[in-house]
Amino acid sequence: MTHPTSLVLEGNEVKLRLQAERVQTGSPVHVDWLRFTVNLRFAPIPTVEHLFPPAQASEFDLRSEHQLSEDDRRRAKLCHLLRDIPDPDFAASTQALELANNVCDILGEGFTVDPEMKKGHDFYRHRWSILRAGNECGWVGFLASGESPRQRAQSKTIHCNLYGVACTFAAPGWAPRMADYMDEHRALVTRCDLALDFFDGISGGMDRVATDYDAGAMDHYGHRPEHNCVGAWRAGGVGRSFYFGSKAAGKQTNVYDKGVQLYGKQDATGWQRIELRYGNQKRLLPTDVLRRPADFFAGASDWHAQMLAEHGAIATPEPIKTEPRLPLETLMAECTRNARWFFSTAGKSAALAFLYMDRETLMQFIENCAEMPGRLAKFKRSEVERIYQQMFKKISGSGAGHTAFAH
């Protein structure tokens, strides 16, 4: 008799969780990843226990280790850690801890916060790990790892990142509850993945997906998105992925053999998944994406809506449009205005600084002034860089530069 592998058992558990969620929510679209950011001003207020951790000779310290429950050991460890946090970092640390605990409460039973503060990710200095069955399934980052202007701004925020496993094993109904919590604290969604699972496979399989692309089915507003094929793209190949869209634009879709990923090639099923990733690079993501994931899945393109309909679901397509760009003429005017001001007003002082200030001090000054001037702050940095160089050369070549730098 062949015993099922741990991989198969885990895959079956994931499938059962997803099927139960469908019954509970009535939606076939599953939220599979979530990231959001909260400003410290709106972050949750820490508990009294965290604000005023017990003294060293606490009730926990007076008992032997074997007399403490697991929860008591975690609390004691956490209190010791909080007492050692430097004062300037204490408020952000405890607010992040409170947010992590709140997120665990929303995710449901089995989710806890690791009492050990760990090194941060994504330019955050520290993180509180969110655990399930002893494994990290998410984290809450706080305090910046550097002193650049951008990171100083980041230090005023707390960031939560929930992996797919956290979203899959969370209690039914967690997503709308999380949306309410995020609204309460004015959180900004920075990433949300929406997954549509075909447990018996997509009609036509992965070959059909590639054919749809070639036929223009994924075109959006007359534009054909970028695409990339990964895996064994040949007749009968398994473990394939078809990506289309762009992370840089904040909307990318991956269609892939989910059964192979979960069960391995030996035990692969026909399970295939369409996974839509929304990011905030060029979009403002609403928290309603957690309340009505099917509507926002269908709103990604006509092809997404068609695939959802083939699944048997009815949705009202709601697109998340890119933010409108300010007219190029306005950007050119602002860059011209700034360049003229530099030559006419600041030119002599800038020349003096370049000639006589030591390089280290000058570079430190430039880094501290890396934020955009007020009138240019509303534009994207990449656009300003491109246009400003053109305008700067144009103004300097018109004689303004000679006048400004003349001795």
Side-chain angles (χ1 to χ4, degrees), residues 216-225 251 283 299-302 319-320:
M218 283 85 158
D219 292 4
H220 195 51
Y221 293 115
H223 171 72
R224 184 154 301 178
K251 188 173 73 174
R283 302 166 198 273
S301 74
D302 291 341
I320 303 178

Side-chain angles (χ1 to χ4, degrees), residues 208-321:
R208 177 263 181 95
V209 176
T211 301
D212 281 353
Y213 179 86
D214 292 337
M218 283 85 158
D219 292 4
H220 195 51
Y221 293 115
H223 171 72
R224 184 154 301 178
E226 301 174 6
H227 81 288
N228 184 35
C229 298
V230 178
W233 278 90
R234 54 179 175 76
V238 295
R240 295 181 287 180
S241 295
F242 189 94
Y243 292 86
F244 64 93
S246 168
K247 286 183 181 180
K251 188 173 73 174
Q252 185 181 52
T253 300
N254 178 20
V255 189
Y256 63 102
D257 289 320
K258 184 68 176 179
V260 175
Q261 182 199 60
L262 285 179
Y263 296 96
K265 292 182 180 180
Q266 290 294 105
D267 298 293
T269 68
W271 182 354
Q272 290 168 333
R273 168 175 282 192
I274 302 173
E275 193 167 280
L276 168 65
R277 176 185 295 181
Y278 276 121
N280 71 330
Q281 287 83 347
K282 295 184 179 180
R283 302 166 198 273
L284 183 62
L285 306 182
T287 54
D288 271 349
V289 72
L290 299 173
R291 299 184 179 97
R292 297 182 287 109
D295 290 348
F296 289 93
F297 184 94
S301 74
D302 291 341
W303 184 84
H304 289 82
Q306 177 185 335
M307 298 308 295
L308 187 61
E310 289 186 15
H311 198 285
I314 300 174
T316 303
E318 186 159 345
I320 303 178
K321 298 179 179 179

Side-chain angles (χ1 to χ4, degrees), residues 40 43-44 91-101 128 140-142 158:
L40 281 173
S93 303
T94 53
Q95 284 182 280
L97 176 60
E98 183 65 16
L99 188 142
N101 280 317
W128 296 111
V140 172
F142 55 99
I158 299 171

